Amino acid sequence: MTAELTHAFALTDADRALLPTDDEVAEYGRRGWYLSRKLFTDAEMDTLVEATERFYAGHTDRRLPLRPPNLAYWTPEKGDVQRHNDYIHYESDEVAAILRKPLLGAVAARLAQAEEIRVWQSTLIYKPPRPEEQSNQVPWHMDRHYWQTCTSERMLTAFIPFHHCDERMGTITMVDGSNTWTEIPGDDSTRHFAHRDRSELEDLLHANASHNGAVVDKIPMIIPKGHVSFHHCRTYHGSGANLADAPRRAISLHLQDGDNRFRPYLKPDGTPVFYNHDVLVRRNDEGLPDYTDQNYCPTLWRE
Ligand SMILES: O=C(O)CCC(=O)C(=O)O
Ligand SMILES: [Fe+2]
C-alpha cells in the first residue's frame, strides 16, 4: 500500500521542471495568484470536453447519496444559463482521473507550502456564449468566505479551462494582492455571491481596498490551453461576460492542505454555518465531519 502511494505521488524530471520556482512561490504569497506552466496535454483537455459533454447528457459513474442543502447543480431544464455542477470529481471517473494528475497536486503543494493536498470541492462550469446573459457574470468574492468551517488559511483553487481562455471569454480575473488585505468586520460574508447583489459586492470590494490603503488592480488571467490559474482562498476574484462564439468550459478545483480540519463556525446572527460536505463525509473520532474522507476529499499529493 505504502509503496503504491509513493509511486502514485511521484514526479518525473520533466514534471519537476514545470513546478513553480521559489521566486514564483514568493510572488504567489504577495499577489495571491499564479499562472502555471503547461500542466496538461491538449489531449487531456479534449478528453475533459468529451467527458463533460457526456455528463451534461446524463452520464454519471456515481451519484451523491443525498442532495446537500447548498448544492450547485445545473440540469437541462434550467436552460441556457451559466452551469455549475459541484462534486464533478465524485460523479465522473473520467474527469477525476485527469484532475488527480500528481503534477497538479504537486504545484498546489508548493504554492501552499504544504506536504499534502486533498481535493476540497470541484465545480464544473460552463458559460454559454451569450454576451447579455447575466448569470455568466461572477461577482467579486473570496472563496475563504464560503469555507468558514475549515481551519486552514492556506486553501487554494486551481481554475482549469479546457481551452485557451482570455478576457473575451470572460476569464477569471484576480484582484492583485488582495490575499494580504484585512477585512472590514461586520459583513455576513458567508452568504454566497449567487444570492447577493453584484453592485453590493463591487462596493464591498472597494471598501475593503480603501480599508487597506490599496487600489483595486484587476488582472484577467490569460490562460493558454493546458495551463492552470491558481488563487489563494483570500484573493478576491470574479469574471465577466462570455463575448466569444464558443462556450467557456472550465473546472474550479478547490484544494485543501493536509492539515485542514472541520471547525464549528457561527454567523454574526449566531446560526451555525454548514458546508455541503458536512452531510456527506464520514465523522471523525470526535463526531465531527471528517474532511480527510477519501470518498469526497481524495488526496492529490503527498511528499
Ligand atoms: O468562473 C469563474 O470565472 C470564477 C470561478 C471561481 O469563483 C473560482 O474558481 O473560485
Ligand atoms: Fe471563487
Side-chain angles (χ1 to χ4, degrees), residues 12-25:
T12 64
D13 286 344
D15 283 346
R16 252 183 282 279
L18 301 172
L19 294 171
T21 63
D22 290 346
D23 283 351
E24 286 166 334
V25 173

Side-chain angles (χ1 to χ4, degrees), residues 82-186:
Q82 182 170 200
R83 309 178 190 177
H84 284 108
N85 290 87
D86 289 340
Y87 292 97
I88 186 68
H89 68 290
Y90 182 85
E91 294 205 332
S92 166
D93 286 343
E94 258 183 306
V95 170
I98 293 173
L99 296 181
R100 293 177 81 151
K101 189 169 188 167
L103 176 57
L104 184 70
V107 171
R110 279 199 53 102
L111 293 173
Q113 298 178 271
E115 283 177 6
E116 181 184 326
I117 292 289
R118 290 188 302 268
V119 173
W120 172 244
Q121 179 60 278
S122 64
T123 308
L124 174 63
I125 306 174
Y126 178 107
K127 278 190 188 189
R130 301 175 62 213
E132 283 85 43
E133 178 51 49
Q134 285 304 305
S135 66
N136 272 351
Q137 312 255 355
V138 178
W140 301 109
H141 68 278
M142 66 160 94
D143 299 335
R144 179 75 180 108
H145 283 157
Y146 310 133
W147 305 336
Q148 293 291 10
T149 58
C150 289
T151 54
S152 173
E153 292 290 342
R154 285 193 283 177
M155 292 169 72
L156 73 171
T157 296
F159 179 79
I160 311 168
F162 304 171
H163 44 70
H164 176 91
C165 188
D166 57 22
E167 278 176 281
R168 202 170 131 72
M169 297 206 98
T171 193
I172 190 166
T173 299
M174 307 299 175
V175 178
D176 204 17
S178 52
N179 59 308
T180 65
W181 296 357
T182 59
E183 282 178 81
I184 305 173

Side-chain angles (χ1 to χ4, degrees), residues 2-11 16 100-103 106 116-117 294 298-303:
T2 314
E4 233 171 71
L5 284 180
T6 314
H7 177 74
F9 296 130
L11 294 184
R16 252 183 282 279
R100 293 177 81 151
K101 189 169 188 167
L103 176 57
E116 181 184 326
I117 292 289
Q294 294 292 301
T299 300
L300 284 190
W301 176 255
R302 195 178 290 130
E303 288 302 327

Side-chain angles (χ1 to χ4, degrees), residues 6-78:
T6 314
H7 177 74
F9 296 130
L11 294 184
T12 64
D13 286 344
D15 283 346
R16 252 183 282 279
L18 301 172
L19 294 171
T21 63
D22 290 346
D23 283 351
E24 286 166 334
V25 173
E27 190 178 346
Y28 166 81
R30 288 192 302 272
R31 306 185 77 174
W33 56 271
Y34 166 71
L35 182 58
S36 83
R37 296 177 174 75
K38 189 170 168 85
L39 304 184
F40 291 101
T41 63
D42 289 354
E44 284 168 327
M45 294 295 99
D46 297 344
T47 301
L48 284 179
V49 174
E50 289 153 21
T52 56
E53 272 304 311
R54 278 191 284 277
F55 173 83
Y56 288 134
H59 171 83
T60 54
D61 295 296
R62 197 170 295 101
R63 300 303 295 259
L64 292 176
L66 53 90
R67 203 188 154 91
N70 300 312
L71 188 71
Y73 206 91
W74 181 86
T75 46
E77 66 274 12
K78 304 219 164 125

Side-chain angles (χ1 to χ4, degrees), residues 141 143 231 237 254:
H141 68 278
D143 299 335
H231 60 272
H237 57 283
H254 303 298

